[in-house]
Amino acid sequence: MEFSTILMIVGIVCIVASFFLKDTSKKLEQDLEDLSISIYQETNSLKKRLKIIEEELLLEPSFTVKQDTSKKQLEAYKKSAQATAPKPAISANNSQQINEILVSQVIQLNKQGYPVDEISKMSTLSKEQIITILKSGGNR
């Protein structure tokens, strides 16, 4: 009988002690939530920085992106930069000196199934130039 009373007393003491001890799981949950929020904020910050860098790479090197620049202003700048870009010079055999990047872009767009008209609009090359590139397979 004495063993069972000792077990009951130890059980009661443990129950009473549990009311006075701090709950560490709440602190652990709070720390985990704080960590999750900070990771989310850092991820959003990195996404914003990456978006700004991508926009800078699509524009001329002299252009600087400001925080308050809207998408409409960026699109207007891109269009004006394309309109004022110098056209490649025509050589003696009536084929223009076309950048290798444009050639590979035209070939890739053709492989993706874009028609010559759309490729012409996207690459600022004439339809004849695009047809010439596709016939030659990108070789000069």
Side-chain angles (χ1 to χ4, degrees):
M1 281 284 195
E2 193 165 308
F3 183 68
S4 62
T5 56
I6 292 174
L7 284 177
M8 282 198 333
I9 291 173
V10 169
I12 292 172
V13 169
C14 287
I15 291 173
V16 171
S18 70
F19 288 117
F20 296 109
L21 295 176
K22 290 185 178 180
D23 190 12
T24 58
S25 66
K26 287 183 182 179
K27 181 171 178 10
L28 184 62
E29 286 177 9
Q30 183 63 35
D31 289 344
L32 183 62
E33 187 176 332
D34 291 343
L35 179 64
S36 174
I37 290 171
S38 68
I39 289 174
Y40 177 75
Q41 289 173 341
E42 288 180 25
T43 304
N44 280 341
S45 174
L46 287 172
K47 284 181 182 178
K48 287 178 184 177
R49 288 180 186 173
L50 182 61
K51 185 176 180 180
I52 289 172
I53 289 172
E54 287 174 346
E55 288 173 352
E56 285 178 354
L57 290 176
L58 293 175
L59 302 176
E60 290 182 357
S62 62
F63 182 73
T64 57
V65 177
K66 298 179 181 175
Q67 292 291 55
D68 59 345
T69 305
S70 68
K71 287 185 178 182
K72 289 181 181 178
Q73 289 173 331
L74 289 175
E75 290 298 321
Y77 182 80
K78 286 180 189 177
K79 288 179 183 177
S80 67
Q82 287 177 351
T84 60
K87 303 293 181 196
I90 298 176
S91 64
N93 63 0
N94 202 18
S95 67
Q96 292 185 347
Q97 299 297 326
I98 301 172
N99 190 342
E100 290 296 323
I101 296 172
L102 283 175
V103 171
S104 63
Q105 179 186 27
V106 167
I107 292 171
Q108 288 299 321
L109 289 173
N110 184 43
K111 286 180 182 177
Q112 293 174 7
Y114 286 97
V116 175
D117 294 337
E118 285 188 39
I119 296 174
S120 175
K121 290 177 186 175
M122 286 190 242
S123 66
T124 66
L125 296 174
S126 69
K127 293 177 187 177
E128 293 80 20
Q129 290 173 318
I130 293 171
I131 293 170
T132 306
I133 290 171
L134 294 176
K135 283 182 181 178
S136 68
N139 300 327
R140 293 187 177 193

